[in-house]
Structures are given as C-alpha cells and as structure tokens.
Amino acid sequence: MTAPDPFTPARLGPLTLRNRLIKCATFEGATPDALVTDDLIDFHREVAAGGVAMSTVAYCAVSPEGRTDRHQIWLRGEAVPGLTRLTEAIHAEGAFAAAQLGHAGPVANSVSNRRKALGPSRIPAPMGMSVTRKLDADGISEMLATFRQAARIAVDSGFDGLEIHCGHNYLISCFLSPLLNHRRDEYGGSLVNRARFAREVVEAVREEVGDQAAIWAKLNMYDGAGRLGFGVDEACAVAQLLESDGHLDAIEPTAGSSLLNPMYLFHGDPPRDEFADAFRGAMRLGLKATGPMFLKHYDYHDAYLLPLARQLRAAVRMPLILLGGITDRPSMELALTEGFDFVAMGRALLREPGLPLRIQSDPTARSRCVHCNLCMPTIYSHTRCPVRTGEVPDPLVAEATTIRSE
C-alpha cells in the first residue's frame, strides 16, 4: 500500500486540515493565573507557524477542581477574551485550534486547587496527599452539564476542535479502569457500565456544539498497571462502543497513567531527579525514594505506541490519530500506511516547532529531540525543552563534536 502524503489536506469531521499533522496536547505551564498569557499565545503561534494543521491547547479544565493545579486554565467567562486572542493567533498562521477538555479527577492537586479531588470511587489523590470524593448520581449529572458548558465556551472562543481527555487515569479514564472504579451502580462493574460516563460525556459535548467543531477522544489503550488495570482488549471494546454511538470524529489512542505509570507514555530516559526537584516537601522526598518504581524506563523507538494502536485500528473503522514517537517522514508514512488518518507530535515540537516545515522541504530530515524527557518536569514552571533553551548541553552537538575529533 502506498502511504498518503502526510502533507496533503485531509478531513476531520467538519474540518479540512491543511495536512495530517496535529500538535498534541502538552500542558504549557504558561498560565499562572489560570488565564491565557502572551507566553501561551506565542507558544502556539510558533507551533502553528511551524507547519502543523492544528495545535491543541492543554490543559482546558472543565471546572476549577478539575485542574492538576490552580495555575491551569479552567473554562469560564473570564477566560474567553484570552482564549479568543489565542485562537485568533493560531488561525492567523493558517492552522486550526483545538482545546483539550477534561477533568483531572484524582490527578488534581486538591491543596493547590483548594477543592476536593473527585473520582468514581474513594481512591488516593497523591498530588494533594488525600483521597477523592466519590461522584454520586447528582454529581455525575452536574459533571455532564459542566462538560457541556465548557464545550460551548471553547467553541464560542474560536476553537475548531475539541479533544475529550479519556486517558492517563484522569477522571473519565478512572471510570474506565477496573482498578480504580469500585462502584456497584450503573457506572461500575462491567465494562459497559464503566464506559457509560465516557459515552455520556461525549454525547453531551456533541449535543452542545453539533458540527461546529471536530470532536475526538484521547483514549487510553493501556494504563501500565498490569493485568488489574485497563488494557488494550477493553480499550478496543470501548472504542467500538464510542464508534457505535456516532458522536466522535476520531480517536487518539494513548497510554500510561499519571497516577500509576507516567513513563509508559513518555518512552525514553526517565528524569527522576529533575522530576522530584520540581516539587517541595513530602512530594519531593517521596519521588526521590520511589523514583525507580514510579518513573520506569521504557526504551524509545519511533512510533512506539503503534503495536498497541494496531489493535485499536483493527477494532474500529473510524479515523484514528497515532501518537507516540512521530519524529520524521518515515514514521508519518508508516502510520498512514497502516491505516491511521492523522499523526500527533509532542516532544519533537517542543524541541523544534518548525520541524514539520523542515520535513516537508527535506524528506530525510530528522527531529533534534533526543527523548531525554527533561521537558517533563518543566510543566510545573514553564514547559520547554531545556536542550533548546541551552539549559543543558545538546547531546547531538556533543556527539557530532566527538565524531569529528575522532
């Protein structure tokens, strides 16, 4: 099979994207007052100018307690002027703007947010050194209305796409997980019951915005918690349920758990010391002690989520967006050859926002990202690539210097 050209236009729901490249959601750490800043606008303007078809803004929490900490945007009237400036800046560079809608659930820092973290059950919420409050039936109804309102605010602010976060053991993902969802009502137990909340959220968002935006779900394939957690077989079944409902334009398969195994998404070097140093007090000490167990090492290779995502590709016919190790034209073409409709890029764009244009002009171009993952701890201050900013030496330059000297 001949791969489609990744740089030709393609349809995603009601949108025609200028190419098949999407900047995935990566929290930028540039909203200290939970509002859009010039730094955030500059970040996404640069990415849009670098050649992607859509830039995804994260994290757009649907409610104040749904943030991982109080410095993240949550969607309310006060945020609209800044969000509008942001989407206008992305549009001015010829790209579409997407908002990642979600609720952090047990990943929320209740101390920072000054609000109780929420979950499908009472489970640990380690960021706030607490336990979650279980959402009751009324709470679930209120949460559906909250997602609906957030979607409306996002679209009215100029966003063209909405990504519903069903991954990484955030709130919706927790409902899906047999390890974290201990409910005995219609939202717990069987997979159909555990998937009910995700399906209702997607339905509520679609009912609210109709065809005013493309809508896709970021869906965990595997949370990295072993046989007791959420795995690819259940993910395939959930994807089939979401496809049968008919409310989504695509699914973006992802993996890993911010609670249990974050490095399963970020293959490459685990920055254990740097990650611990981003915190204070008990959290820092805890991460120093448990670093090797919590931040595990997974070898990097291009398109590293493809083996899992192939199973999802075989289970559904709807469009899929491949994430994980998309760094050059061969990895893009591999994804498209295997039936994926779009590719999403993250760390490679932190290192080099203009990489898509460089690849388009030079098919042999390679990303300068070395998968050191030193960008991960920077989300708590200002998300960046420390190699790009010169805070740490560039390994590629050091390697080239060594080769020349030999």
Side-chain angles (χ1 to χ4, degrees), residues 31 35 52 139 168 199 209 215 223 243 253 260 299 307 314-315 331 347:
T31 54
L35 295 168
V52 297
H168 310 158
R199 297 169 74 184
V209 304
I215 302 173
D223 58 18
E243 181 176 45
L260 305 171
D299 290 336
S331 58
R347 290 171 292 177

Side-chain angles (χ1 to χ4, degrees), residues 69-356:
D69 68 52
R70 69 179 181 274
H71 303 298
Q72 292 177 331
I73 293 171
W74 66 279
L75 295 170
R76 76 276 195 203
E78 184 185 5
V80 169
L83 292 170
T84 302
R85 288 200 303 124
L86 173 57
T87 57
E88 289 174 348
I90 294 171
H91 293 156
E93 300 295 343
F96 287 120
Q100 184 189 63
L101 304 184
H103 190 292
V107 183
N109 187 330
S110 57
V111 175
S112 177
N113 290 336
R114 302 182 182 93
R115 295 167 184 260
K116 191 77 171 177
L118 304 179
S121 313
R122 283 179 56 83
I123 54 177
M127 292 292 289
M129 307 295 284
S130 62
V131 296
T132 61
R133 175 173 67 82
K134 176 183 174 180
L135 272 176
D136 59 18
D138 289 340
I140 289 175
S141 295
E142 292 170 3
M143 188 59 64
L144 295 176
T146 298
F147 268 92
R148 185 187 293 270
Q149 180 181 26
R152 172 49 54 198
I153 289 173
V155 169
D156 288 349
S157 299
F159 284 99
D160 313 282
L162 303 176
E163 177 185 283
I164 301 174
H165 199 335
C166 304
H168 310 158
N169 287 158
Y170 281 39
L171 183 63
I172 297 175
S173 178
C174 280
F175 270 84
L176 293 170
S177 169
L179 182 63
L180 301 173
N181 183 344
H182 309 148
R183 303 176 74 98
R184 297 187 179 183
D185 61 6
E186 64 270 31
Y187 291 93
S190 70
L191 179 61
V192 170
N193 282 359
R194 285 184 276 121
R196 189 183 307 276
F197 182 57
R199 297 169 74 184
E200 290 179 346
V201 168
V202 170
E203 180 180 21
V205 170
R206 176 60 79 187
E207 285 183 348
E208 180 61 36
V209 304
D211 61 359
Q212 292 180 276
I215 302 173
W216 66 95
K218 193 166 198 171
L219 177 67
N220 249 30
M221 298 180 290
Y222 175 59
D223 58 18
R227 61 183 180 84
L228 297 178
F230 187 72
V232 69
D233 290 342
E234 289 197 325
C236 288
V238 171
Q240 290 170 338
L241 291 171
L242 291 169
E243 181 176 45
S244 69
D245 292 338
H247 302 307
L248 288 177
D249 296 308
I251 289 176
E252 182 179 311
T254 187
S257 166
S258 298
L259 284 179
L260 305 171
N261 193 353
M263 291 306 299
Y264 198 85
L265 172 60
F266 301 99
H267 285 207
D269 297 332
R272 293 166 183 151
D273 289 340
E274 293 83 359
F275 203 86
D277 288 341
F279 293 89
R280 298 179 180 177
M283 278 293 293
R284 174 181 290 185
L285 294 175
L287 285 169
K288 290 280 189 184
T290 64
M293 293 180 288
F294 182 61
L295 296 172
K296 301 176 182 179
H297 184 275
Y298 294 97
D299 290 336
Y300 176 87
H301 58 83
D302 285 353
Y304 57 82
L305 288 183
L306 181 57
L308 281 176
R310 279 192 186 110
Q311 299 178 60
L312 212 67
R313 178 67 288 169
V316 296
R317 301 184 60 172
M318 67 188 301
L320 296 182
I321 304 165
L322 185 66
L323 170 71
I326 305 299
T327 61
D328 56 11
R329 191 170 187 121
S331 58
M332 295 174 186
E333 292 180 345
L334 173 63
L336 299 178
T337 299
E338 297 218 11
F340 293 86
D341 302 85
F342 299 89
V343 295
M345 307 174 73
R347 290 171 292 177
L349 296 180
L350 290 178
R351 177 65 179 89
E352 186 183 1
L355 178 62

Side-chain angles (χ1 to χ4, degrees), residues 344-368:
M345 307 174 73
R347 290 171 292 177
L349 296 180
L350 290 178
R351 177 65 179 89
E352 186 183 1
L355 178 62
L357 288 181
R358 189 161 65 88
I359 293 173
Q360 187 174 11
S361 63
D362 176 9
T364 67
R366 291 280 303 175
S367 170
R368 297 188 178 106

